[in-house]
Amino acid sequence: MLYLVPTPIGNLADFTFRGISVLKEVDHILAEDTRQSSRLLRHYDITTACTSFHSHNEHRRLSTLIEEMTDGKTMALISDAGTPGISDPGFLLVRACIEADIPVVSLPGPSAFVTALVGSGLPCDRFYFEGFLPHKKGRATKWQKLSQCEETMIFYESPYRIVKFLNECIENCGPDRMICVAREISKIHEEYIRGSVSEVHADLSSRPSIKGEFVVVLAGASNSNI
Ligand code: SAM
């Protein structure tokens, strides 16, 4: 049996009761980064054995993990923060479990993109999740396609590239397209910066330093003046 367990994206109080009890009860926790997860596990007094499962070893570990779960071992997959599989490892393991007839239980819980989308004030009846844009190859072509996208779009971005992202957004979607940049969701310095792309760009680029984690929610081409 494999459980997919979302973990808090900042505020430890956002962990669900069910998430905590599953992590206490399974035989083994697979964590993207065991050191990163140890703070959360200690906070909730979770003493279950924990090993690493990340993008560099997921292919290698797959067959052993499937054998162990076939033999009856229960496992829970967690990522550093949020929902496993969303811009994080998970998909390969879930697919392998399904192919091996191992039950997969996906728990509801925190994910940065849903929280940002709902708080953005932009339409959330239909949306397109992009996650991280490719750094170089294919980025320009991707922007051309995205500029035509009718639905609200969601991106993950780092503090080092957020201003570059907004510059590209102005070039491809125009300065008046509405946008919301959600920074440090659920943490002490949480903020939602809303406005036209040029307004949000002016705000962020005037800051002496840009820190934290970012989700960008961009209005679709059909909602450009909402
Ligand atoms: N699996 C995670 C989820 O469900 O949201 C996403 C993992 S992805 C590797 C990490 C990115 O998510 C960060 O670079 C940032 O763009 C976004 N993110 C995670 N936590 C955040 C937070 N508290 N505030 C804003 N963005 C966050």
Side-chain angles (χ1 to χ4, degrees):
M1 171 96 84
L2 174 70
Y3 292 93
L4 305 168
V5 181
T7 54
I9 57 168
N11 188 328
L12 291 185
D14 289 334
F15 212 175
T16 66
F17 292 124
R18 188 172 170 220
I20 297 164
S21 63
V22 165
L23 292 192
K24 285 187 173 177
E25 283 160 22
V26 289
D27 296 315
H28 202 98
I29 298 171
L30 303 168
E32 194 186 357
D33 179 344
T34 50
R35 270 182 311 173
Q36 173 81 22
S37 296
S38 64
R39 181 170 158 251
L40 177 78
L41 300 180
R42 260 201 318 275
H43 184 85
Y44 284 102
D45 212 10
I46 297 164
T47 54
T48 310
C50 180
T51 53
S52 71
F53 183 80
H54 46 65
S55 50
H56 302 295
N57 73 3
E58 60 178 333
H59 283 95
R60 187 160 39 84
R61 290 206 66 194
L62 223 47
S63 57
T64 316
L65 293 173
I66 293 297
E67 264 173 39
E68 288 176 358
M69 283 186 270
T70 305
D71 288 345
K73 214 167 178 179
T74 55
M75 302 210 180
L77 177 65
I78 59 175
S79 60
D80 288 351
T83 299
I86 301 297
S87 298
D88 269 333
F91 156 67
L92 289 178
L93 183 60
V94 171
R95 185 175 64 180
C97 284
I98 292 166
E99 282 169 3
D101 277 331
I102 294 164
V104 176
V105 181
S106 178
L107 272 64
S111 190
F113 87 86
V114 180
T115 314
L117 171 66
V118 174
S120 69
L122 293 167
C124 33
D125 51 345
R126 287 189 184 81
F127 58 86
Y128 171 81
F129 175 73
E130 174 67 29
F132 293 102
L133 281 174
H135 284 188
K136 290 199 176 91
K137 200 166 172 281
R139 192 171 169 109
T141 322
K142 185 65 111 178
W143 264 120
Q144 277 168 15
K145 284 193 189 143
L146 291 167
S147 66
Q148 307 297 318
C149 177
E150 300 274 306
E151 288 81 30
T152 301
M153 289 159 269
I154 309 159
F155 304 85
Y156 285 158
E157 195 45 278
S158 85
Y160 314 107
R161 280 185 293 271
I162 186 72
V163 173
K164 176 185 179 207
F165 178 99
L166 294 169
N167 271 321
E168 292 173 339
C169 200
I170 291 172
E171 280 164 27
N172 290 279
C173 306
D176 300 327
R177 184 80 72 98
M178 297 307 282
I179 197 166
C180 170
V181 172
R183 186 175 87 86
E184 295 285 87
I185 299 167
S186 79
K187 303 183 196 176
I188 298 169
H189 299 292
E190 170 177 294
E191 62 177 328
Y192 283 72
I193 312 160
R194 304 180 180 90
S196 66
V197 189
S198 58
E199 287 165 343
V200 172
H201 176 271
D203 178 334
L204 278 173
S205 54
S206 69
R207 298 185 184 197
S209 68
I210 300 180
K211 294 190 182 123
E213 297 190 281
F214 292 83
V215 181
V216 181
V217 187
L218 177 64
S222 55
N223 291 313
S224 46
N225 53 4
I226 279 180

